[in-house]
Amino acid sequence: MGSQKLLLVTLFLLAFASSAQGYDFFYFVQQWPGSYCNTNNQRCCYPIYGKPPSGFGIHGLWPNYNRPPYGAYPQNCYSNSIPIMSNRQVSGLVPNLQTNWPSWTCPRSDSSNFWQHEWTKHGTCSEAVLSQYDYFRVSLQFKQSTNILQCLITAGILPNGRYYTLASVTAAIEKCIRHTIYVKCNIDKWGHDQLYEVYTCINKSGTMLIDCPVLPTPTCLSFWIRFPSF
Ligand code: AMP
């Protein structure tokens, strides 16, 4: 009985220790709106404040593990955080968020539901390191310092509906930001792989880009991927 109790206590402590470790790094995910909007089951609406400038938009900053089971990540970590739009500091970022982190859902919205969703699902899991305000501030900073569209254009890869090799797209971005990345594809309405999202990696404290320690499962299964216009 004594040894059973000891085993239970040990198991409990191990479980607590692993959840207390929280996360190891961030994926910072940017999205090509043309590929979000042109899929079969996706309706897209401009936000109520108008069409944001053409370019990649932020999807989210996602705390992640660099350990098995790979593919799992912390989400919806309970927190007492106030709703983001009641946070005066976050409100100060709204014009910048509207430009760089638009929601394309219908009916048209002010995008704040999307920001709240990303904070609640992902941001709350790194709250011990990045406050609610820092979560958004840091995301906007990395969006500005990794100009993915410019990286691609410099390499002659343009959003013109043409096909490019996955290797050339990856190499163009990696050369430009000097770190490894992951390209996520989705499928357009004609069934072709297209450039959907770019995952860059950021260290645990949210201060610098790093090489991605672990990459999600490949999603670009064709050699050629389309870069649709937007
Ligand atoms: P996540 O829950 O962070 O993995 O993000 C996936 C959810 O975000 C899905 O419900 C998507 O439909 C939604 N989503 C992804 N990109 C956008 C976007 N640009 N605007 C609105 N919702 C989005």
Side-chain angles (χ1 to χ4, degrees):
M1 190 65 179
S3 64
Q4 263 180 341
K5 257 192 193 158
L6 190 64
L7 183 65
L8 278 176
V9 170
T10 312
L11 284 175
F12 174 80
L13 285 176
L14 276 175
F16 178 76
S18 73
S19 73
Q21 277 177 21
Y23 67 100
D24 304 314
F25 72 101
F26 290 100
Y27 284 129
F28 178 54
V29 181
Q30 299 181 60
Q31 179 189 70
W32 181 246
S35 305
Y36 179 75
C37 295
N38 74 356
T39 60
N40 243 344
N41 49 9
Q42 197 76 63
R43 265 187 74 222
C44 243
C45 292
Y46 292 154
I48 49 175
Y49 48 83
K51 184 184 179 190
S54 180
F56 281 77
I58 299 172
H59 183 164
L61 179 65
W62 300 346
N64 240 274
Y65 302 126
N66 179 22
R67 48 188 133 129
Y70 291 105
Y73 57 91
Q75 49 182 312
N76 297 311
C77 301
Y78 175 75
S79 134
N80 284 325
S81 310
I82 56 171
I84 57 160
M85 295 311 273
S86 313
N87 181 332
R88 291 240 318 269
Q89 280 186 304
V90 174
S91 305
L93 299 174
V94 162
N96 202 343
L97 290 168
Q98 288 181 335
T99 305
N100 292 293
W101 202 328
S103 165
W104 300 106
T105 48
C106 302
R108 287 146 66 87
S109 81
D110 65 3
S111 298
S112 62
N113 282 350
F114 185 33
W115 309 330
Q116 182 70 53
H117 166 83
E118 290 298 310
W119 165 257
T120 305
K121 180 169 175 186
H122 303 281
T124 55
C125 300
S126 51
E127 200 174 4
V129 175
L130 294 182
S131 68
Q132 194 178 67
Y133 169 67
D134 284 337
Y135 178 80
F136 291 102
R137 182 185 59 79
V138 161
S139 300
L140 290 167
Q141 249 173 22
F142 279 105
K143 166 72 171 53
Q144 210 190 352
S145 64
T146 56
N147 191 336
I148 302 291
L149 183 57
Q150 193 53 55
C151 292
L152 291 168
I153 291 173
T154 303
I157 297 172
L158 313 177
N160 52 12
R162 297 230 170 99
Y163 287 82
Y164 301 90
T165 66
L166 170 64
S168 68
V169 169
T170 307
I173 301 168
E174 289 186 340
K175 180 174 174 214
C176 185
I177 70 160
R178 296 197 289 275
H179 289 285
T180 58
I181 57 127
Y182 167 77
V183 172
K184 179 169 181 170
C185 284
N186 67 358
I187 309 276
D188 68 15
K189 52 182 164 226
W190 302 280
H192 302 135
D193 275 351
Q194 60 180 356
L195 169 53
Y196 174 43
E197 290 184 326
V198 174
Y199 289 42
T200 51
C201 292
I202 293 173
N203 67 341
K204 184 175 177 172
S205 48
T207 53
M208 59 184 193
L209 283 175
I210 55 172
D211 284 343
C212 286
V214 53
L215 297 179
T217 318
T219 44
C220 304
L221 302 179
S222 336
F223 187 74
W224 298 97
I225 64 175
R226 214 162 80 85
F227 193 8
S229 60
F230 183 68

